[in-house]
Amino acid sequence: MLKENRQKQILNLIDEKGFLKVAEASNLLSVAEMTIRRDLMELEEMGLIERVHGGAKRRVQKKTHYTELSHLQKQALHIDEKKHIAKKAAELIEENDVLFIGAGTTTEYIYDYINVNAAKIITNSISVFNRFKDDARYDLILIGGRLRERTGTFIGYFTRKWIQDIKVQKVFIGTNGIKNDHITTAEEEEGVVQQIILKNSDENYILADSSKFGVEAFQVLCHIDAIDGIVTDRKLSPQFKNYYQNKCNMIM
């Protein structure tokens, strides 16, 4: 049995029983107790369980709700990490690419590092639009709709209507949290727009600094299987890196 599948089964057993003994897990999964102990150590390092004498239980999450900050508040956080992530994302952009760049204080920095002579940039973010609007190298399209002032993002019926017919080569969007196998977002209408464009793209990239890992926001944006890569910073813990690099490309 692959380690990833075995650890998922261990988590399921802990959820079902509340407490799982090492010997019981060894018997149910037909693997050595030493293997179970190693799995429990890794799951504990990822913050998913708490080891206790003879077994493990689910860790009580201290932070159960994500609190969305304003765009201005977010701009003051993790600036160096965001610039590093934006630079790595920009390196993925090739000549004449058709791109969707979503709202976010990390995606805004992509403009500072993009190094192509031509590309089509599509966005529903006023901030991203303002970064690119005076640069003649880029064919820029702003998808309008109802403005959500908190993030400077267009959402709603008209936004969804227009974006559903757009096909792009690459998508770069931010996230409010990555928890287990889910990419999450704080606002459902922004999330719906992002879900549409993720389905209309050849390659999907999530931009997330290391503070976003282990955090769960209001709505599941997509499963990890729907993305090609997570662009993050070098402060990401080895436990998260090891967990996610088996699921997608980890770009650091």
Side-chain angles (χ1 to χ4, degrees):
M1 182 186 298
L2 294 175
K3 180 173 73 171
E4 177 185 337
N5 293 334
R6 187 176 64 247
Q7 291 183 352
K8 284 182 179 179
Q9 290 195 35
I10 289 172
L11 290 174
N12 289 336
L13 287 168
I14 293 174
D15 283 340
E16 178 185 330
K17 298 173 178 295
F19 172 75
L20 182 65
K21 294 181 179 180
V22 171
E24 183 181 12
S26 174
N27 181 55
L28 290 171
L29 301 179
S30 301
V31 294
E33 290 189 10
M34 182 61 69
T35 300
I36 297 296
R37 289 192 181 93
R38 284 198 297 266
D39 286 336
L40 294 179
M41 287 179 63
E42 291 185 16
L43 291 170
E44 184 178 48
E45 288 172 348
M46 286 188 279
L48 300 176
I49 65 163
E50 180 180 346
R51 287 190 298 156
V52 294
H53 182 68
K57 63 181 181 180
R58 269 289 190 182
R59 172 167 289 172
V60 177
Q61 299 294 329
K62 295 181 181 179
K63 183 178 180 180
T64 58
H65 298 288
Y66 171 83
T67 301
E68 186 183 23
L69 302 177
S70 70
H71 190 79
L72 187 61
Q73 289 172 315
K74 292 176 184 176
Q75 283 181 321
L77 300 175
H78 310 292
I79 295 172
D80 290 340
E81 290 86 348
K82 290 174 180 178
K83 289 181 177 180
H84 171 82
I85 292 166
K87 183 175 185 295
K88 289 295 181 179
E91 291 171 359
L92 299 168
I93 299 171
E94 300 174 302
E95 292 289 343
N96 298 306
D97 267 347
V98 180
L99 314 168
F100 178 85
I101 301 178
T105 53
T106 302
T107 54
E108 290 172 14
Y109 284 116
I110 289 177
Y111 176 76
D112 295 326
Y113 301 101
I114 190 170
N115 189 28
V116 295
N117 294 314
K120 179 172 286 188
I121 311 293
I122 301 163
T123 187
N124 64 329
S125 165
I126 290 178
S127 298
V128 172
F129 174 82
N130 285 336
R131 296 303 310 278
F132 283 88
K133 69 179 181 179
D134 296 321
D135 196 320
R137 292 177 297 170
Y138 306 113
D139 183 6
L140 183 60
I141 298 174
L142 176 64
I143 302 295
R146 178 166 57 85
L147 179 64
R148 184 172 187 248
E149 292 187 7
R150 189 172 188 82
T151 55
T153 308
F154 287 108
I155 58 174
Y157 171 80
F158 293 109
T159 311
R160 299 194 304 270
K161 186 72 173 176
W162 289 326
I163 211 165
Q164 67 185 7
D165 294 327
I166 292 173
K167 307 296 181 183
V168 300
Q169 290 167 306
K170 292 167 186 170
V171 162
F172 298 95
I173 59 176
T175 179
N176 297 121
I178 300 175
K179 181 75 174 289
N180 299 333
D181 291 345
H182 293 136
I183 313 298
T184 64
T185 185
E187 212 285 325
E188 66 273 19
E189 289 201 61
E190 285 190 27
V192 170
V193 173
Q194 292 171 331
Q195 287 171 341
I196 294 171
I197 200 65
L198 285 170
K199 292 178 181 177
N200 291 353
S201 171
D202 295 331
E203 299 176 27
N204 296 321
Y205 296 97
I206 300 295
L207 278 55
D209 66 73
S210 51
S211 71
K212 302 292 180 61
F213 288 78
V215 175
E216 186 173 46
F218 173 70
Q219 180 193 16
V220 173
L221 174 62
C222 66
H223 191 275
I224 196 78
D225 291 344
I227 66 172
D228 295 278
I230 298 175
V231 190
T232 188
D233 60 79
R234 293 170 182 161
K235 293 183 179 179
L236 185 67
S237 70
Q239 293 76 26
F240 281 126
K241 179 182 177 182
N242 293 337
Y243 181 78
Y244 288 105
Q245 69 184 1
N246 293 321
K247 298 175 180 292
C248 67
N249 187 18
M250 292 296 288
I251 302 164
M252 304 172 70

